[in-house]
Amino acid sequence: MGSELKKPKKQFQLNPNWAQLREQLKSNGFQKQLSNPSQTENPNSILGKRKSRSSDDDSGDARPNPLIPTSSDSSVTDVIAIDCEMVGVSYVGNRSALGRVTLVNQWGNVIYDEYVRPAERVVDFRTKISGIRPQHLKKAKDFHVVQEEVAALIKGRILVGHALRNDFKALLLGHQKQDIRDTSEYKHFLSREGRKRALRNLATEVLGVGIQNGEHCPIEDARAAMMLYLKHRKEWEKSIKDFARLKEKQKKRKPKKKNRRLRTVNNAENAS
């Protein structure tokens, strides 16, 4: 029985060639590499590496939000963007009144942001769109105070905004036409049919950012208008200068035509 038990052990003895190869591998450090889990390659580890590589690539492709200011400069620049939020007044609340006004500078930093207490009683706060609630207007500034402060800030500066006609109407203010940059009217932002487009759609298409998803934020809206302007600033300003030059030429031509007519009349009178 003892001799029969010893025979299986001989079957598990390594071949001398294989034993020699194993010793060579040990001396080269190959076994250490295999024993290190971080160095072993199996389907799971390879998949893990691919996942991490793809996640790194995704993070590289992610663009920063263009509405976040890249500078901490909060000075009053030569170009300012404005956005207003309205509340409803009158008996049924169907007439708009100024509820909040926000101004941002060229870098998108807020230089003015105030809630406004209208002269008339607010019937509809329009919170779903305006984001304004009753508590916001309890300590809000009087309309005429805000009107004066905004007028002083925008005077002599380029004013950017979307559908600025509504903001001017709410503020009961005007502005120099040559200093208005309305993103709802700029030719490159119009639809193919020449129609005005919503600021929300322009922000998505041109800037690649979503705004006005629920309650409107006048800071975001003003920043979006400013970024749209800055993206086309060079071409926009050139078109305004070209238009101004054309008008000057037309003005100079008109007096010449009148002078020619006067000369013909005078010549006719002299001849008679």
Side-chain angles (χ1 to χ4, degrees):
M1 291 292 292
S3 61
E4 291 177 1
L5 291 172
K6 288 180 181 179
K7 286 180 181 179
K9 289 183 179 180
K10 292 181 180 178
Q11 294 177 1
F12 291 99
Q13 288 180 356
L14 291 173
N15 187 289
N17 294 333
W18 171 247
Q20 186 179 1
L21 177 62
R22 187 175 67 173
E23 291 299 322
Q24 289 178 355
L25 292 174
K26 282 183 180 180
S27 63
N28 292 334
F30 186 76
Q31 190 169 352
K32 289 181 180 179
Q33 292 179 3
L34 289 176
S35 62
N36 188 349
S38 63
Q39 298 293 336
T40 55
E41 298 248 340
N42 55 56
N44 293 332
S45 65
I46 293 172
L47 184 61
K49 286 183 179 179
R50 285 178 182 171
K51 284 181 179 179
S52 62
R53 196 177 296 120
S54 63
S55 63
D56 290 341
D57 293 341
D58 292 342
S59 62
D61 292 339
R63 293 182 298 174
N65 188 338
L67 302 186
I68 298 176
T70 55
S71 169
S72 59
D73 187 348
S74 297
S75 61
V76 182
T77 52
D78 292 336
V79 182
I80 292 175
I82 188 172
D83 187 73
C84 296
E85 296 299 333
M86 318 300 178
V87 292
V89 295
S90 77
Y91 181 72
V92 291
N94 61 345
R95 192 153 53 83
S96 296
L98 185 66
R100 183 181 178 184
V101 57
T102 304
L103 299 172
V104 302
N105 65 7
Q106 183 177 335
W107 315 112
N109 291 308
V110 177
I111 57 175
Y112 190 86
D113 184 28
E114 292 289 348
Y115 288 99
V116 186
R117 186 170 61 252
E120 299 179 59
R121 188 173 72 89
V122 178
V123 176
D124 185 1
F125 287 90
R126 303 178 183 176
T127 305
K128 289 184 179 180
I129 296 176
S130 69
I132 299 173
R133 291 166 172 77
Q135 59 265 31
H136 292 146
L137 302 189
K138 285 182 179 179
K139 296 182 179 180
K141 286 188 176 182
D142 182 70
F143 170 79
H144 296 291
V145 174
V146 173
Q147 184 189 46
E148 290 178 4
E149 291 175 345
V150 171
L153 284 168
I154 67 175
K155 186 178 181 181
R157 292 183 169 86
I158 292 176
L159 189 64
V160 180
H162 193 82
L164 284 169
R165 177 175 55 86
N166 297 327
D167 298 323
F168 292 143
K169 186 177 179 181
L171 283 159
L172 299 179
L173 289 175
H175 200 62
Q176 293 290 330
K177 190 175 181 180
Q178 65 267 23
D179 290 335
I180 292 174
R181 305 292 183 270
D182 195 328
T183 53
S184 72
E185 297 181 357
Y186 183 52
K187 59 182 180 180
H188 288 292
F189 296 149
L190 299 176
S191 67
R192 291 181 180 179
E193 298 79 18
R195 294 177 182 174
K196 296 178 182 180
R197 301 171 64 193
L199 179 63
R200 178 180 64 256
N201 297 336
L202 290 174
T204 302
E205 183 180 317
V206 182
L207 304 177
V209 65
I211 61 170
Q212 298 180 351
N213 297 318
E215 296 178 8
H216 292 196
C217 173
I219 298 174
E220 277 190 352
D221 292 353
R223 284 174 176 171
M226 177 62 80
M227 288 304 301
L228 287 169
Y229 164 72
L230 293 176
K231 242 181 172 356
H232 290 264
R233 183 177 187 175
K234 188 175 180 180
E235 187 179 358
W236 199 334
E237 293 300 328
K238 184 179 180 300
S239 65
I240 290 173
K241 288 179 181 178
D242 291 343
F243 182 73
R245 287 171 188 166
L246 182 63
K247 286 190 73 174
E248 284 296 323
K249 286 181 180 179
Q250 290 176 347
K251 284 181 181 179
K252 290 177 181 178
R253 286 173 186 172
K254 287 179 181 179
K256 288 181 180 179
K257 291 180 181 180
K258 290 180 180 179
N259 290 335
R260 286 175 185 174
R261 289 176 185 173
L262 288 172
R263 285 175 188 173
T264 53
V265 171
N266 290 335
N267 291 335
E269 288 177 354
N270 293 333
S272 61

